[in-house]
Amino acid sequence: MNPLSSAGLLGWLRFKHLVLLTTLDRSRNLHAAARAMHLSQPAASKMLRDLEGFFGFALFERLPRAMLPTELGEPVIRHAWRLLNEADRLVSDINDLRAGGYGRLLIGAIAAAAPEILPEAIARLKRERPRLSIHLQEQTSDRLLIELEYKRLDLVIGRLTHVSQHNQFDFEPLRDEPLRVVVRRDHPLTRGVAVPSLATLARWPWILHPLTSPMRGVFETALAAEGVTSPDNVVETTSIQTTLQLLLDSDMLAVLPRSVLRRPLESGQYVLLERIIGKPLDYYGIITRRDETLPSTARALIEHLRELAARPLEGVTGEAAPEGEEEGEEMRP
């Protein structure tokens, strides 16, 4: 079999082929994919056979109740998603420019960056380019990196979640983040004078990020290091607003980065327990796709982020108990 060439691929492949691959990847059913594309099932089936004949291997495994990507088909489908996302971005940018706009900047950010340096960096950029459309998506790093890989974001302010990602993305560190335990001001744990142990804290209900997030990883590692079983009364969410409201309405505890807590503590409704969980999170930073030229708007935002990250951090107040006391029995739930 002759090796595949770029010229051959560009001369043969059509956008409708990419649409079929991504639609079938989403539906896992040829009949549903054909219907979504307004094709007959025989026409969609022939198109898929043509694609598999061109590449020289099966792209989907035909199972009784579904069609699943094969090991060789997965990278082809992944690139199909990227190419279609690029096409969507091209159409959107051209329509924006024709309407008198100045393009779009798509940013992904973790919770630690969202309330801290990123808003000020965005405000600076908007003063320089007032008609630039900026879209901000806040999520955990693992989910944002998928969006970045598939070209649905221009850059991410977050953390790499696996060592292999250094081959895929460029990472420029900005800040590290100590994790603190926060509760409502009149929580029972604030009435003692002792510093609660992790074993005591684990017996209370918690609000935590999903297990796949770096923040949850630090929490679980800290528990394991002291031989403490993970809490079994847990609400999982990435929403800071939901977390803060749940803290006010219950006896739940949350572990959050220092930067997220500055404004809530100023309100007087929350306090920090004198307990730092584990080591600080690894530095969060600017993540971009490797070997890809950034738009000028992204480069300008990065310059503002660098300047703001270089400023010293203000302290976080609101500790509920002095450090160094022994644990008291009255702190048990």
Side-chain angles (χ1 to χ4, degrees), residues 66-330:
M67 296 182 66
L68 300 180
T70 63
E71 184 176 356
L72 292 174
E74 284 182 352
V76 177
I77 296 165
R78 187 164 59 248
H79 281 287
W81 277 112
R82 292 174 183 167
L83 291 167
L84 287 180
N85 288 333
E86 284 275 31
D88 287 342
R89 180 65 181 274
L90 173 63
V91 171
S92 178
D93 285 350
I94 289 176
N95 286 335
D96 184 61
L97 293 169
R98 290 172 63 181
Y102 284 78
R104 293 189 306 160
L105 180 60
L106 308 179
I107 308 166
I110 59 172
E116 196 183 19
I117 63 174
L118 184 57
E120 188 171 348
I122 290 174
R124 288 185 178 189
L125 185 60
K126 285 292 287 181
R127 285 194 292 270
E128 296 169 355
R129 307 175 189 224
R131 299 185 69 180
L132 173 67
S133 176
I134 297 177
H135 298 256
L136 175 62
Q137 178 180 344
E138 186 178 333
Q139 249 313 340
T140 55
S141 291
D142 56 318
R143 297 182 183 181
L144 291 174
L145 291 177
I146 293 173
E147 297 295 292
L148 183 64
E149 177 187 357
Y150 280 76
K151 299 195 173 184
R152 290 190 283 260
L153 293 171
D154 293 316
L155 75 162
V156 163
I157 314 302
R159 297 178 179 86
L160 297 178
T161 59
H162 194 274
V163 65
S164 64
Q165 291 168 340
H166 286 280
N167 299 321
Q168 189 175 7
F169 303 113
D170 288 321
F171 177 80
E172 178 181 339
L174 291 173
R175 285 182 175 170
D176 63 354
E177 283 290 312
L179 295 181
R180 304 299 301 270
V181 179
V182 59
V183 297
R184 70 172 195 275
R185 176 161 290 281
D186 60 347
H187 192 284
L189 283 172
T190 66
R191 294 197 286 269
V193 295
V195 180
S197 69
L198 282 180
T200 294
L201 296 179
R203 295 196 290 270
W204 289 82
W206 280 86
I207 311 160
L208 297 169
H209 271 214
L211 283 168
T212 55
S213 73
M215 193 185 308
R216 181 68 174 274
V218 170
F219 179 78
E220 297 292 342
T221 299
L223 293 179
E226 297 194 19
V228 178
T229 303
S230 300
D232 56 9
N233 186 351
V234 171
V235 172
E236 289 191 353
T237 180
T238 60
S239 168
I240 299 302
Q241 188 59 44
T242 299
T243 298
L244 294 175
Q245 190 59 50
L246 283 171
L247 289 175
L248 290 179
D249 295 340
S250 70
D251 285 341
M252 304 185 84
L253 289 66
V255 58
L256 292 170
R258 172 184 55 193
S259 59
V260 170
L261 296 170
R262 186 172 292 111
R263 294 267 177 98
L265 291 173
E266 289 173 356
S267 73
Q269 295 176 294
Y270 309 91
V271 294
L272 299 179
L273 300 183
E274 192 59 46
R275 171 66 59 183
I276 295 177
I277 301 294
K279 67 174 184 177
L281 279 170
D282 291 337
Y283 279 84
Y284 70 77
I286 302 161
I287 307 175
T288 54
R289 289 181 292 272
R290 175 151 290 186
D291 300 325
E292 186 170 308
T293 302
L294 289 171
S296 61
T297 51
R299 295 196 301 271
L301 179 71
I302 288 172
E303 286 303 317
H304 291 310
L305 288 169
R306 288 170 178 157
E307 292 175 11
L308 293 169
R311 299 188 313 193
L313 285 171
E314 301 172 5
V316 174
T317 60
E319 274 76 10
E323 189 171 1
E325 301 291 340
E326 295 298 323
E327 179 187 351
E329 292 299 317
E330 71 274 15

